[in-house]
Amino acid sequence: DIGVTGVQTCALPIYLEPAEKTVEEIRAKGGVGSAIAVDVADPQSVDCLLKEVLRVFKQVDVLVNNAAIEVDKTIEHTTLAEWNREVSVNLGGVFLCSKCFLPELRKTKGKWVDFSHSRMATPLWEPLRRLIGRHSDQGLLGINDQVTRGSHAFNQEEPSL
């Protein structure tokens, strides 16, 4: 129960209303929270996010890369714009947030957590349905490797489900 553990929490949606409800629950339990709208696929939005997080919380101890979208269509029905948006959020968002926040995490010897968004099992009869999600997952593995390669200044946490 994050609201009562003493953790200061920042909820980062693209739309504020659901996050504000989460923050209200955290505050009702005596916790500290803030909701900040961000588009993780937009470099300026991520830069503004870091500035606001540092203004409100003064430091960054944990980054959880958990933003993801999934176009729930077969590949032949997926538009290029939908493909580009999914890849820019699912891969680009992890890249941009990691790039922006890692210097702050190194200062605090903070933790970096990355969650994959796609389902593990896909029915054999629809092999192309989740193509985009699986490619995003492989890209995330590459980003994980780049972030953790040679760095001992912060800790990467394995997500526990």
Side-chain angles (χ1 to χ4, degrees):
D1 200 358
I2 204 159
V4 295
T5 61
V7 174
Q8 295 182 16
T9 307
C10 189
L12 307 170
I14 196 164
Y15 304 109
L16 276 178
E17 189 176 324
E20 287 172 338
K21 290 178 184 176
T22 300
V23 169
E24 285 174 20
E25 291 174 18
I26 290 169
R27 289 178 181 160
K29 295 176 182 176
V32 177
S34 181
I36 303 168
V38 64
D39 178 353
V40 297
D42 177 3
Q44 286 183 310
S45 184
V46 174
D47 284 341
C48 289
L49 167 65
L50 177 60
K51 289 174 185 164
E52 182 65 7
V53 166
L54 291 174
R55 185 188 71 74
V56 172
F57 298 105
K58 309 297 183 234
Q59 67 182 42
V60 179
D61 295 307
V62 179
L63 171 64
V64 178
N65 281 309
N66 196 34
I69 60 173
E70 183 173 38
V71 176
D72 194 18
K73 298 178 180 179
T74 59
I75 195 166
E76 65 270 16
H77 293 103
T78 301
T79 67
L80 180 59
E82 290 168 329
W83 164 269
N84 287 338
R85 180 66 180 156
E86 184 167 351
V87 170
S88 69
V89 169
N90 297 356
L91 294 178
V94 173
F95 172 79
L96 290 172
C97 289
S98 298
K99 182 176 179 61
C100 192
F101 279 80
L102 282 175
E104 297 301 320
L105 288 170
R106 285 193 174 94
K107 290 177 188 175
T108 62
K109 293 189 173 21
K111 299 203 182 281
W112 180 81
V113 183
D114 180 31
F115 286 93
S116 172
H117 77 285
S118 70
R119 296 173 186 92
M120 296 304 286
T122 301
L124 293 175
W125 52 269
E126 47 179 8
L128 295 177
R129 187 167 186 263
R130 303 275 184 229
L131 175 69
I132 299 169
R134 283 194 301 276
H135 285 319
S136 293
D137 291 346
Q138 291 302 309
L140 289 172
L141 291 174
I143 292 171
N144 284 338
D145 182 56
Q146 290 297 315
V147 168
T148 59
R149 184 175 294 160
S151 177
H152 304 290
F154 66 96
N155 303 303
Q156 179 182 9
E157 288 287 313
E158 291 295 324
S160 58
L161 302 175

